[in-house]
Amino acid sequence: MRKKIVAGNWKMNNDKNETKILIADLKESLKGVELENTRVIIAPAFVFLQRTAKKIKNSKLEVAAQNMHQEESGAYTGEVSAKMLKSVGVNTVILGHSERREYFGETDTLLTKKVNRALQHKLEVIFCFGEKLEDRKSGNHFEVVKAQLKNALFHLNSEDWQHIILAYEPVWAIGTGETASPEQAQEMHAFVRELVAERYISDVSEEVSILYGGSVKPANAKEIFSKEDVDGGLIGGAALHADDFLAIINAI
Ligand code: PEP
């Protein structure tokens, strides 16, 4: 049975103290909660990853990085490698977030390299993809998503897919307060699962978790998560408030 996952992308938010408090609140609140087949992942900023990895040991939380560099090591000032992440206890990395694509020029070609490097180091990848508003308006959204997945992931073999989590994040719904309807999310998730099924002969498509991201809030989480092909959420803004994030976890 594929896993349900709720992942919080904290982006460039929270200083040291705020990070400490949020983690402590989440840890404490999740103590008595039975998380059946559900993983809870938080992705604080790079500088807090090592400390977070230590703090969440023996708790129900897991930690992820928000990004990593595609090269093994070298003269890449300001960058962080897969090996560095692993060495501080991080086992999951978010790649391909629309903000990385938009503000840092990340292309499918670059993301292929990042995915390969992450897998080489046995890092699990939460791979984000999704169409822009103009793609949806022109009816191109399926084609755009298909190209993003094909270009960055379809060279992988079936075994690699055990370390891939997909996150459908329509760009027009991220941080805008506008959410894809549960039907729109289900339609795209089913399309993606079918694409994976066409590409891989094994049961990869049934096993891969496909998360929805884009203005998920306590008020809409339950309806979105109730859809057959939605296996959880990648949460931005609402992940910064313990109560909201816990309500979203509860909704799953
Ligand atoms: C995100 O950035 O991945 C995201 C889903 O953000 P928000 O929930 O704030 O729309």
Side-chain angles (χ1 to χ4, degrees):
M1 191 172 34
R2 60 181 176 259
K3 285 274 183 197
K4 303 271 184 198
I5 299 167
V6 180
N9 174 13
W10 294 4
K11 309 191 186 186
M12 198 173 72
N13 293 297
N14 289 341
D15 64 13
K16 183 177 164 188
N17 202 37
E18 290 160 340
T19 298
K20 189 173 151 191
I21 292 169
L22 186 48
I23 291 170
D25 282 354
L26 292 174
K27 258 176 74 173
E28 187 56 32
S29 305
L30 286 172
K31 257 187 193 158
V33 177
E34 197 59 53
L35 291 173
E36 282 169 40
N37 196 40
T38 300
R39 296 171 60 190
V40 180
I41 303 174
I42 52 171
F46 278 133
V47 284
F48 306 122
L49 288 176
Q50 180 167 12
R51 197 182 164 87
T52 302
K54 276 193 194 144
K55 287 263 172 209
I56 62 168
K57 264 196 189 139
N58 305 319
S59 82
K60 289 176 177 148
L61 294 168
E62 297 174 51
V63 65
Q66 299 173 19
N67 181 35
M68 52 156 254
H69 196 267
Q70 65 276 14
E71 296 300 334
E72 180 62 22
S73 62
Y76 302 99
T77 302
E79 292 294 331
V80 172
S81 72
K83 192 173 167 197
M84 291 171 188
L85 294 177
K86 286 293 289 195
S87 73
V88 297
V90 173
N91 293 313
T92 304
V93 61
I94 299 172
L95 293 177
H97 192 279
S98 68
E99 287 150 18
R100 298 292 318 168
R101 294 177 191 255
E102 173 89 7
Y103 306 138
F104 303 94
E106 296 201 358
T107 60
D108 291 348
T109 311
L110 178 78
L111 289 169
T112 308
K113 291 182 187 163
K114 290 195 176 199
V115 168
N116 290 347
R117 186 67 66 192
L119 295 179
Q120 182 194 336
H121 285 273
K122 302 206 171 354
L123 273 164
E124 173 185 58
V125 173
I126 300 178
F127 185 82
C128 306
F129 59 95
E131 80 282 0
K132 292 184 179 165
L133 186 58
E134 61 259 34
D135 303 318
R136 176 139 305 248
K137 278 189 172 159
S138 63
N140 266 349
H141 44 299
F142 293 116
E143 282 312 306
V144 167
V145 160
K146 185 176 176 180
Q148 287 173 338
L149 294 176
K150 235 178 106 183
N151 293 342
L153 296 181
F154 279 13
H155 64 288
L156 300 177
N157 62 39
S158 301
E159 273 166 27
D160 291 332
W161 277 79
Q162 288 172 14
H163 311 287
I164 300 288
I165 297 163
L166 298 177
Y168 169 55
E169 299 209 302
V171 180
W172 48 273
I174 297 179
T176 59
E178 193 167 338
T179 323
S181 68
E183 291 70 31
Q184 284 172 320
Q186 168 58 25
E187 186 185 34
M188 184 58 87
H189 284 223
F191 171 77
V192 166
R193 207 176 295 286
E194 186 54 34
L195 276 182
V196 178
E198 282 167 13
R199 166 65 183 83
Y200 294 94
I201 45 173
S202 66
D203 51 6
V204 171
S205 67
E206 280 309 310
E207 291 299 318
V208 67
S209 299
I210 311 179
L211 316 185
Y212 168 79
S215 299
V216 176
K217 305 270 179 279
N220 59 23
K222 201 166 181 178
E223 224 189 323
I224 295 171
F225 294 164
S226 71
K227 294 295 177 190
E228 194 184 335
D229 287 294
V230 178
D231 304 310
L234 181 54
I235 319 298
L240 297 172
H241 307 282
D243 287 353
D244 287 349
F245 194 56
L246 290 162
I248 291 169
I249 295 165
N250 206 28
I252 214 162

